């Protein structure tokens, strides 16, 4: 700061940037999620009940909650990329609170029943974890690029929400293959997958 302050020096290199359209921007993570979902189905195959056209109620609840969490958080990321005064989006918080019912329900069930049958499915659980995180990282790419192009006022929060969005969308993509219906399994492995993506999003963004 040896030179005198001159605001002109700060604006000489500024260039106009086109504002991102939120409705158009949300399509990119959705498209990435559909690509990941297609890859999972083509590589691993869909659930038997989905193939039969009779999906179980637990599959619908699990998939619907993950999709809601992913889309609500992704929309919040899109809004964070183009902030404005007085505008806040708390829909991702509501979706996250709703999604927390699964691990809470898993804890309650584990207190009444033996949790080992669900927790000992280590190989299936690790596949769930691995594929959900891989799919989530792929869906995170357009959101990270959008944030780098935009101007988030809270990069830390944007990182967490990006990770949650990626985790929700990635876990939803894998859920079309995952045959598990036990609430303990879902509450344990899927929660870990979303949590890992959230941490990675915080570190990367």
């Amino acid at each position: 700061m040896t030179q005198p302050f001159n605001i002109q020096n700060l604006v000489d290199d500024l260039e106009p940037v086109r504002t991102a359209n939120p409705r158009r921007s949300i399509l990119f993570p959705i498209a990435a999620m559909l690509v990941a979902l297609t890859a999972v189905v083509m590589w691993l195959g869909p659930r038997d009940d989905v193939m039969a056209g009779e999906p179980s109620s637990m599959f619908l609840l699990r998939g619907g909650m993950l999709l809601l969490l992913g889309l609500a958080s992704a929309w919040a990321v899109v809004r964070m990329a183009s902030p404005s005064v007085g505008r806040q989006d708390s829909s991702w918080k509501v979706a996250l609170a709703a999604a927390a019912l699964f691990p809470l329900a898993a804890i309650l069930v584990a207190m009444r029943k033996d949790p080992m049958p669900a927790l000992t499915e280590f190989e299936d659980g690790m596949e769930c974890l691995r594929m959900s995180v891989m799919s989530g990282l792929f869906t995170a790419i357009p959101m990270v690029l959008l944030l780098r192009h935009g101007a988030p006022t809270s990069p830390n929060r944007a990182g967490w929400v990006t990770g949650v969005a990626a985790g929700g969308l990635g876990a939803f993509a894998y859920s079309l293959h995952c045959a598990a219906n036990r609430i303990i399994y879902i509450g344990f492995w899927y929660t870990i997958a979303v949590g890992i993506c959230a941490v990675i999003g915080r570190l990367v963004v």
Side-chain angles (χ1 to χ4, degrees):
M1 297 298 291
T2 57
Q3 300 295 326
F5 178 77
N6 187 347
I7 194 172
Q8 188 61 39
N9 293 335
L10 299 178
V11 301
D12 285 342
D13 295 332
L14 293 181
E15 297 179 1
V17 177
R18 179 179 299 176
T19 303
N21 186 318
R23 294 183 180 179
R24 184 181 304 168
S25 299
I26 192 65
L27 297 178
F28 292 102
I30 292 176
M33 182 267 294
L34 292 176
V35 171
L37 186 151
T38 302
V40 168
V41 172
M42 295 294 291
W43 185 14
L44 301 175
R47 286 169 53 109
D48 293 337
D49 56 351
V50 173
M51 282 290 293
E54 298 179 354
S56 69
S57 57
M58 181 58 71
F59 165 76
L60 295 176
L61 289 173
R62 179 187 67 191
M65 185 58 65
L66 290 171
L67 185 61
L68 174 63
L69 175 63
L71 290 179
S73 301
W75 179 251
V77 172
V78 170
R79 300 291 292 271
M80 288 178 181
S82 300
S84 63
V85 176
R87 184 179 69 181
Q88 295 183 351
D89 193 320
S90 59
S91 58
W92 67 276
K93 297 179 182 179
V94 177
L96 185 61
L101 293 175
F102 276 90
L104 290 176
I107 293 174
L108 293 176
V109 173
M111 294 172 61
R112 295 187 296 105
K113 297 182 179 180
D114 182 11
M116 294 310 296
L119 297 181
T120 53
E121 297 174 337
F122 185 77
E123 185 176 350
D124 292 339
M126 288 303 297
E127 180 184 74
C128 170
L129 193 61
R130 181 174 61 253
M131 296 303 299
S132 296
V133 171
M134 289 175 57
S135 300
L137 294 180
F138 180 73
T139 62
I141 294 175
M143 291 184 282
V144 173
L145 294 177
L146 177 65
L147 289 173
R148 290 179 62 87
H149 177 75
T153 57
S154 179
N156 291 341
R157 183 190 304 171
W160 286 115
V161 179
T162 300
V164 171
L169 295 177
F172 173 76
Y174 175 74
S175 70
L176 266 73
H177 165 75
C178 179
N181 287 324
R182 293 189 181 95
I183 187 63
I184 300 177
Y185 180 99
I186 296 170
F188 182 75
W189 291 105
Y190 280 90
T191 299
I192 293 178
V194 175
I196 290 176
C197 287
V199 172
I200 294 176
R202 168 63 180 84
L203 296 176
V204 172
V205 174

